[in-house]
Amino acid sequence: MNADSHTSQPVPLRLFAYGPLAGTITVPGDKSISHRSLMFGALAVGETIIDGLLEGEDVLATAAALRACGADITRTATGRWHVHGVGVGGLLQPRTALDMGNSGTSTRLLMGLFATHPITVTLTGDASLSRRPMARVTEPLTQMGATFTTAPGGCLPLTMVGAALPLPIRYVLPVASAQVKSAVLLAGLNTPGRTTVVEKIATRDHSERMLAGFGAQLHIEDTPAGREITITGEAELRPQQLTVPGDPSSAAFPLVAALIVPGSSVTVTNVGINPTRDGLLRVLAMMGADITQTNIRSVGGETVADVTINAGVLTGIEVPPDVAPSMIDEFPILFVAAAFAHGRTTLRGLEELRVKESDRLATMAAGLIACGARVTELPDGLIIDGSGGEPLAGGATVAAKLDHRIAMSFAILGLNCRDAVTVDDARPIATSFPDFLPLMAKLGASKGQ
Ligand code: S3P
């Protein structure tokens, strides 16, 4: 969050729908791709032009950090950004600490970039980010030659001294994490030789696709050990003209809203459906949702579609754990959908959710139970016995715990409750989806006092 969000008071939120939701909306640009567009543009020599950049606080934190390290970044219209890069190896030491706000992606990917530049950088963050584990990134980056001084538990604030003589490594990811994978690949950009990351389960592959587009030499191979991604270092990146597709993680909220408010029909256009990101749509279809994808096309090297969903009552299932990486940010809103399904939904293998912007298993279980849902919290997941389409009681104030996706999930849950649901603080929504409220209003769900 920005300085204002730190100092201002919590902003409670209640959303109401007085009838079915209807209409067509376009959600803002993909957060993961927006961060990477700025970062790779900052490392290219020449001007990268980006259209459709997400102008949420997390991405703005990335832009500010890159500017502080010498990149020239300007905005000329809504979503249109120009980046004059400094070249791989050309980042400068910032004069002051860099504030990462709430953004884990900015923090972990930039740590990778900085780790193989001979600069000293201090990173700070808000209360949520300062609780999140960074050892998963400092560990491989230490092997590459960077050194770190961290707060207890390996957390922010931390100071990194980047390696003057970086070493290439072969790193098998201990957790399925696109952020860790990307941090090592980005460190590999300014490292002599070949840096390899091995992932057992495929995570979002935007770094690989985009680095190849910027001209980096990448080799990807499926092996018995997993997917091996090798980057050849001391790369030269060529500037690009990019269009950022719509964020499937933001589209998830209006789509599930349409599913649970009886009689609704909503279309979200230009939604990224990269197979490493489309797990929610696949799981909702397995649960019987009436979803169609039309106008499938390519935008900025990614497949996008217009996604239409009609209200309906889902059937509970056992969600296959291997789908998790392709919908890792969508579980809070899937839990909401499951709370209105017929029968039991069992979700396991989700321990990673405990180290997101909040502990998403505990935060969601507490809020769902407070609103009358039947939920059992497991160490690695939730069991949710749905209402069979009946409205939940609601009537509670739920804690969003500085977590944008928790805040939006409970705002949506409130659309099908007998009594209003109050989200204690909606400010974090601005980190990823600043247009959430106006777009929901366009569909017929608006704020109450
Ligand atoms: C992201 C990767 C995921 C996701 C995050 C964005 C990325 O994190 O939760 O919102 O852009 O690489 P993990 O890599 O920690 O799973």
Side-chain angles (χ1 to χ4, degrees):
M1 284 191 283
N2 61 27
D4 264 8
S5 321
H6 283 295
T7 50
S8 60
Q9 294 301 308
V11 179
L13 171 66
R14 294 170 169 196
L15 267 193
F16 298 93
Y18 298 101
L21 303 183
T24 298
I25 57 170
T26 305
V27 291
D30 189 276
K31 181 155 75 74
S32 294
I33 295 175
S34 295
H35 283 296
R36 287 161 173 82
S37 302
L38 292 172
M39 290 180 196
F40 303 163
L43 290 184
V45 179
E47 188 188 34
T48 288
I49 301 176
I50 310 162
D51 277 306
L53 190 91
L54 169 65
E55 295 175 346
E57 290 171 1
D58 281 11
V59 176
L60 298 183
T62 289
L66 292 168
R67 275 192 193 116
C69 295
D72 174 11
I73 302 178
T74 49
R75 174 184 191 266
T76 51
T78 305
R80 175 162 258 240
W81 289 62
H82 302 248
V83 183
H84 289 269
V86 295
V88 171
L91 293 174
L92 303 175
Q93 180 159 315
R95 293 212 197 110
T96 53
L98 303 179
D99 182 3
M100 300 288 102
N102 189 254
S103 179
T105 309
S106 310
T107 308
R108 296 194 179 119
L109 270 59
L110 288 173
M111 281 167 73
L113 272 193
F114 298 153
T116 52
H117 280 71
I119 57 176
T120 300
V121 183
T122 297
L123 302 176
T124 63
D126 73 1
S128 152
L129 184 59
S130 301
R131 279 192 292 268
R132 298 182 67 186
M134 295 299 152
R136 53 182 57 197
V137 189
T138 57
E139 211 255 330
L141 298 179
T142 301
Q143 291 180 29
M144 297 180 84
T147 55
F148 296 88
T149 314
T150 69
C155 294
L156 256 51
L158 67 73
T159 298
M160 156 195 282
V161 181
L165 296 171
L167 299 168
I169 58 169
R170 181 176 190 280
Y171 192 67
V172 181
L173 291 180
V175 282
S177 165
Q179 291 179 354
V180 180
K181 169 176 69 175
S182 302
V184 176
L185 292 175
L186 296 191
L189 272 177
N190 197 35
T191 301
R194 290 150 64 88
T195 297
T196 299
V197 184
V198 184
E199 57 178 6
K200 290 178 204 126
I201 308 182
T203 61
R204 68 190 66 195
D205 61 0
H206 308 303
S207 292
E208 297 91 302
R209 285 169 186 259
M210 294 177 69
L211 282 169
F214 273 86
Q217 220 181 305
L218 277 164
H219 180 76
I220 300 174
E221 201 175 327
D222 286 316
T223 71
R227 195 163 159 271
E228 290 207 12
I229 306 131
T230 298
I231 189 157
T232 302
E234 300 182 297
E236 265 190 37
L237 300 188
R238 291 187 300 265
Q240 300 294 299
Q241 182 115 29
L242 299 167
T243 304
V244 181
D247 197 329
S249 299
S250 297
F253 297 101
L255 290 173
V256 170
L259 189 66
I260 65 170
V261 176
S264 300
S265 179
V266 162
T267 299
V268 184
T269 62
N270 191 38
V271 181
I273 54 164
N274 176 320
T276 62
R277 295 290 299 282
D278 73 346
L280 176 72
L281 298 180
R282 284 185 275 131
V283 169
L284 291 177
M286 284 161 72
M287 296 173 80
D290 177 2
I291 308 184
T292 47
Q293 297 179 11
T294 54
N295 196 13
I296 295 172
R297 60 205 185 272
S298 178
V299 169
E302 295 276 351
T303 308
V304 303
D306 299 342
V307 181
T308 299
I309 193 157
N310 295 319
V313 181
L314 303 180
T315 303
I317 59 167
E318 285 196 19
V319 176
D322 61 1
V323 81
S326 66
M327 55 170 296
I328 195 67
D329 291 335
E330 283 66 79
F331 282 99
I333 195 66
L334 176 63
F335 299 156
V336 169
F340 294 101
H342 276 301
R344 171 168 288 189
T345 301
T346 306
L347 304 111
R348 311 282 316 242
L350 301 179
E351 23 312 74
E352 267 299 297
L353 296 191
R354 296 208 180 270
V355 292
K356 292 293 179 189
E357 285 82 332
S358 69
D359 175 342
R360 288 182 173 163
L361 294 178
T363 321
M364 285 303 299
L368 285 167
I369 291 167
C371 293
R374 287 173 299 158
V375 177
T376 308
E377 185 180 341
L378 308 169
D380 68 336
L382 297 184
I383 297 172
I384 302 174
D385 288 301
S387 70
E390 290 304 311
L392 291 173
T397 296
V398 293
K401 304 255 179 176
L402 288 180
D403 187 330
H404 53 137
R405 302 200 198 280
I406 301 289
M408 289 186 276
S409 296
F410 283 118
I412 300 294
L413 179 97
L415 297 177
N416 196 14
C417 286
R418 288 193 293 277
D419 290 316
V421 171
T422 307
V423 176
D424 69 340
D425 187 5
R427 288 173 303 165
I429 294 173
T431 62
S432 69
F433 196 173
D435 296 336
F436 173 71
L437 289 175
L439 288 174
M440 290 306 300
K442 197 172 164 205
L443 297 176
S446 45
K447 258 191 334 181
Q449 297 316 307

